[in-house]
Amino acid sequence: MSLLSRYRVRPEWIDYNGHLSEGYYVLVFGFATDGVLNTIGADSEYRESARCSLYTVEAHVRYLNEVGPDSELTVTSRIVAARGKKLRLCHEMTVDGVLAATEEILALHVDTDSGRATPMPEHIAAKADELLEPLPDYAGRAVG
């Protein structure tokens, strides 16, 4: 099941070319990742009580179309893998139904006290499994 989130482009996110600056695509995708984590139970309460969190360790962003000022962004988020210590997500950003960018991330579940990766607890893994979707065609591509 895909998760949807919406964001409005802020004036300070616009670069000298009059478009969304590249770092803000990642910021918006980060907000969407937080939404996924909240949905599967890896929220702030969990992070504080369990002293664990999910850390993004790899990301691949594709910038496909320019995004203008004051655009309404819709991000569709998918969990495409959840095993042991690893969570893999794919995000798609659209503006008026047109694909503007994608991001694929790999996150690791980490014990924040030790700084070491550790398996996700059963309740988080089970919720992530409920939401699993097939890998989109763009996932797993190399840069180049």
Side-chain angles (χ1 to χ4, degrees), residues 3 5 8 10 26 58 84 88 96 99 101 104 127 139 144:
L3 303 169
S5 50
R8 173 75 57 190
R10 299 178 184 183
V26 176
E58 187 173 344
R88 188 171 171 195
D96 297 327
L99 189 61
E104 177 183 4
K127 185 63 178 177

Side-chain angles (χ1 to χ4, degrees), residues 3 6-7 17-19 26 32-33 45 47 61 76 85 93 96 100 119 124 135:
L3 303 169
R6 290 185 170 73
Y7 310 92
N17 292 316
H19 305 113
V26 176
T33 296
E45 183 178 311
R47 290 188 302 270
V61 179
T76 303
K85 304 171 189 178
M93 179 187 294
D96 297 327
I124 291 176
L135 204 61

Side-chain angles (χ1 to χ4, degrees), residues 17-20 25 63-69 71 73 95 98-101:
N17 292 316
H19 305 113
L20 185 63
Y25 287 83
Y63 303 94
L64 304 171
N65 280 298
E66 296 171 345
V67 174
S71 294
L73 308 173
V95 177
V98 176
L99 189 61

